[in-house]
Amino acid sequence: MRLVEILIPKQKREAVEELLDGEGLDYTLVEEQSREDPSVVITFPLPAPAVESVLDDLRDTGLDDDSYTVIVEAETVVSEQYEELEQRYAQNTGRISREELQAQAKDLTPRFNTYLVMTIMSVVVATAGLLLDSPAVVVGSMVIAPLIGPALGASVGTVINDRALFRRGIKLQAIGLGVSVVTAAAFAFAIRTTGLVSPMLDIFEISEVQGRLTPDLLSLAIAIGAGVAGAWTLTAGTSAALVGVMIAAALVPPLGVVGIGIAWGLPSVAIAAGLLVLVNILTINITSLAVLWHKGYRPDDWFQQDEARVATEKRAVALAVTIVVLSVFLGVVTYDTYRTGVYEEEVHEDVEAVVQSPQYDDLSLIDVSVEYDDPVPLRQPERVVVRVAHPVGTEPPLIDDDIRSRGSIRAESAIPLPTGPLVGSNRAEVVVYYVEKG
């Protein structure tokens, strides 16, 4: 529920009272003596879904921009008339008024200096967490990222035709992305050159990095969920803090990977993660825009409604086309994931069939893994590694030709390497490397 306070010219008092009485509202009036023009302060409670329609009706009485309005959240209203009013508006869409939406969208975006510092810090923490392979640190970086405000601000500015809010949202998103990439690259380069990480560190072996190198179409689900949840939460007037973490989850870690790819001189890594960032941020923008439009938010001046509709349609189409183009990469990754998954399953089944055959009944399979020439799609198998165990004191099994004869491994050569007894066991291990033809 909301408590609305409006300062109106005294000559408009009669028209406003007539409207409020017609709505069945409880209200109080106080004459304001501090202004040059005679004025009246009117205060009345409203259910949140009723605020926008009542304010629109009040404007129709002739209230101008000099009539300031304050809307605050109220804890409790004890009134039979209010209960009747609440029931009347119960069927309305559960959303806050246009004025509250605009104010909340502005409040979600901090001052520029604060936004810049928090963005830099979140990316530094995310990059450190990625290099440490620490999910907890990466999650912590999302908590402090101030990215929800600009994303939702641009969408709100579009649907209500607030050009200043729209431009600010777009500008801060662009600045945030640019600053994040530069910060992540500089920080990662400093970490690498100062020896704070091992010179032998293979970033492709870091699980937190791997997940951002092969983004598939499921990645869109994260961005869609973040955009819908962010806009829906904003329109409901509830806290958007947790949703802000979700939006940051779609953007901050990939931005860290972009910087790491630049610092390590791996353009394929930077491009793959960068495409994920662009798809995510564009998807968040278009889904939040769709939710706000679906919720019925429009400019208060009906002359501007056509202009807002055209602007919304143009921006939605531009975003959709860009997302479709960039999603081609996600589709390629999805296909590559399916293709390599099928290949690995075939290899595992063939190896398992040979090891479990009667002639090798004294063997046991330890592991089968496939190594690729490039962590970024399209990947080609470079090596298959088969680890088997045999009884100590026996000759290492010659299974390489039998496995190759199954057909799934297209190897030019096989290199069996005995590694010695397994710890705490009476069995020894042999590793067979198959070098693939590609």
Side-chain angles (χ1 to χ4, degrees), residues 240-294:
L242 292 179
V243 180
V245 175
M246 187 176 179
I247 289 178
L251 300 176
V252 176
L255 285 168
V257 175
V258 173
I260 291 173
I262 294 173
W264 259 256
L266 300 169
S268 60
V269 171
I271 292 172
L275 286 174
L276 176 59
V277 171
L278 289 178
V279 170
N280 283 348
I281 196 166
L282 293 175
T283 303
I284 289 169
N285 275 268
I286 193 172
T287 51
S288 60
L289 188 64
V291 169
L292 293 170
W293 191 261
H294 169 72

Side-chain angles (χ1 to χ4, degrees), residues 33 35 39 68 71 175 207 215 275 284 310 360 386 392 406:
Q33 305 294 336
R35 297 169 65 93
S39 304
Y68 81 79
I71 304 172
I175 292 174
S207 60
L275 286 174
I284 289 169
V310 171
Y360 298 116
V386 179
V392 173
R406 303 284 299 186

Side-chain angles (χ1 to χ4, degrees), residues 348-403:
H348 193 278
E349 288 176 353
D350 285 352
V351 172
E352 200 170 54
V354 171
V355 173
Q356 292 178 355
S357 62
Q359 69 184 102
Y360 298 116
D361 58 357
D362 59 342
L363 299 183
S364 59
L365 180 63
I366 298 176
D367 182 49
V368 179
S369 61
V370 180
E371 298 175 0
Y372 295 92
D373 59 348
D374 195 326
V376 178
L378 290 165
R379 298 170 293 173
Q380 295 300 327
E382 186 175 55
R383 190 165 60 173
V384 178
V385 181
V386 179
R387 298 172 60 221
V388 297
H390 62 95
V392 173
T394 63
E395 290 296 321
L398 300 176
I399 61 173
D400 48 301
D401 289 336
D402 290 338
I403 291 177

Side-chain angles (χ1 to χ4, degrees), residues 138-186:
V138 174
V139 171
S141 70
M142 305 171 193
V143 176
I144 62 176
L147 301 177
I148 183 173
L152 296 181
S155 297
V156 172
T158 296
V159 296
I160 66 173
N161 204 33
D162 185 336
R163 296 178 182 177
L165 182 59
F166 168 75
R167 286 195 295 266
R168 177 172 170 77
I170 294 297
K171 181 178 74 172
L172 289 181
Q173 286 184 84
I175 292 174
L177 293 182
V179 168
S180 295
V181 170
V182 172
T183 299

Side-chain angles (χ1 to χ4, degrees), residues 158 286 289-290 310-323:
T158 296
I286 193 172
L289 188 64
V310 171
T312 300
E313 290 175 353
K314 286 182 178 179
R315 290 163 191 171
V317 169
L319 289 171
V321 170
T322 307
I323 290 170

